Amino acid sequence: MRRKRVLPPTVLVLCTAALAGTAPAVASPLTATAAAPARTTATPAAPLRILLTNDDGYDAPGIRKAFERLTAAGYDVTIVAPLTNQSGTGTKMMSASTIAVKHPEPKVWAVDGTPGDSVLFGLSEVFQGHAPDLVVSGTNFGPNVAGLATHSGTVGGAVAALESGVPAIALSTGGMAVPDPAATVNAMGPTVDFAVKLIDRLRTRAKSGPLLPKGVGLNVNHPVVGADGKGTAAGVAATFQDPQAPLQPDFTDSGDGTWKVDVRFRPQPAAKGGDVEAVGANKIAVSSMNADWNTGPADFAVTAALIAGVRP
């Protein structure tokens, strides 16, 4: 999944001071006058319905913090997430197999499969016939920037939603440094607080329409700020997925026809304007993403030129 470097206007508008802490403008109610008689109170809008998933498992700290804060914000939240840790599974989905599904408590479903399996089970069975307004995946323990996003189960869960026509946001907490577990868990609070502001902003702008343009999702990476992780981010940046691939495989021949495989973390210099640079500056990175492999009109034109005149 390559992310385009040209961001949709929606993302550019969202990443403003409003997301850094100020609330979106709300029209003041009309004062009743002779010319404008008092009106009956309008019926409150129905709560936003959210399918909440992740790749760390249905009972991980990040998803539980997200469930608590999103519910407190007035959303109707249902967890449909993997039974066990599925980090690094990307967009993998089970096929020709049997999966176990548990329903350990109200509003919580645990699927013995990948994040993609969980989302698809949720859309097909839990939300059967009435798709949720939004799928939120996370918040993940650790970042999903650069090439990490390509392999991420958190992002994979969001992609499964986008493929099914449901708006999606992937949430992650952490930077490129080796994570401190306690600080990262603490930073999940500010991560989900920001997610609430972001979703509120999306709903305000969407009015009664879809929360995001068709096929477009958001990959949100929140830094760990301060030694305890409880600090406030320095701002919000509209970014693209840094093209670097920080995960490098290392193969060692065992001499018996088998090879030992290690994956080493080797970050490279951050691309200007990318998600790695933003998170490294203690900013919240918001990158647009889609569920296909299209790279945009410029690359399409290059490909067309390359094959011009070629015949079978």
Side-chain angles (χ1 to χ4, degrees):
M1 266 180 316
R2 278 185 70 182
R3 272 62 173 177
K4 302 179 180 65
R5 295 197 181 193
V6 179
L7 296 169
T10 301
V11 180
L12 296 175
V13 170
L14 287 172
C15 295
T16 62
L19 294 184
T22 59
V26 178
S28 300
L30 291 173
T31 303
T33 65
R39 297 180 180 179
T40 57
T41 303
T43 303
L48 198 71
R49 299 164 64 251
I50 296 176
L51 187 163
L52 181 61
T53 194
N54 72 344
D55 71 353
D56 292 331
Y58 79 100
D59 209 22
I63 197 169
R64 289 296 173 157
K65 281 180 182 280
F67 181 80
E68 175 188 337
R69 307 266 179 116
L70 293 171
T71 299
Y75 306 133
D76 180 6
V77 186
T78 301
I79 290 177
V80 189
L83 179 65
T84 60
N85 190 312
Q86 296 290 315
S87 296
T89 54
T91 56
K92 178 181 177 181
M93 291 183 289
M94 306 294 284
S95 177
S97 60
T98 301
I99 60 173
V101 178
K102 298 184 178 182
H103 191 24
E105 57 193 274
K107 310 291 286 185
V108 177
W109 299 77
V111 178
D112 190 15
T114 67
D117 295 325
S118 302
V119 170
L120 295 178
F121 176 82
L123 297 179
S124 174
E125 303 300 324
V126 180
F127 288 85
Q128 184 179 17
H130 190 191
D133 301 297
L134 179 68
V135 168
V136 175
S137 186
T139 183
N140 181 68
F141 184 93
N144 279 311
V145 294
L148 300 176
T150 305
H151 305 284
S152 163
T154 301
V155 175
V159 167
L162 293 175
E163 287 179 331
S164 299
V166 180
I169 298 174
L171 289 177
S172 301
T173 304
M176 295 288 269
V178 176
D180 174 86
T184 302
V185 170
N186 286 340
M188 289 175 172
T191 301
V192 181
D193 289 342
F194 173 77
V196 170
K197 293 178 183 178
L198 175 60
I199 296 168
D200 282 346
R201 185 69 182 280
L202 290 174
R203 194 172 195 189
T204 298
R205 293 185 58 82
K207 298 180 181 178
S208 59
L211 296 180
L212 288 165
K214 184 177 180 180
V216 175
L218 299 178
N219 183 20
V220 178
N221 281 274
H222 194 290
V224 176
V225 183
D228 61 0
K230 297 181 180 180
T232 302
V236 184
T239 59
F240 58 85
Q241 182 183 328
D242 191 306
Q244 68 171 285
L247 298 179
Q248 301 293 325
D250 184 34
F251 299 91
T252 302
D253 188 352
S254 301
D256 58 358
T258 64
W259 294 72
K260 181 181 178 182
V261 185
D262 287 313
V263 178
R264 304 185 185 279
F265 186 64
R266 294 172 178 163
Q268 298 145 42
K272 187 171 179 58
D275 48 14
V276 174
E277 180 188 60
V279 174
N282 282 338
K283 294 181 179 180
I284 303 168
V286 182
S287 301
S288 62
M289 62 180 182
N290 56 22
D292 57 48
W293 295 83
N294 291 316
T295 56
D299 290 317
F300 177 86
V302 170
T303 303
L306 287 172
I307 64 174
V310 178
R311 296 289 180 266

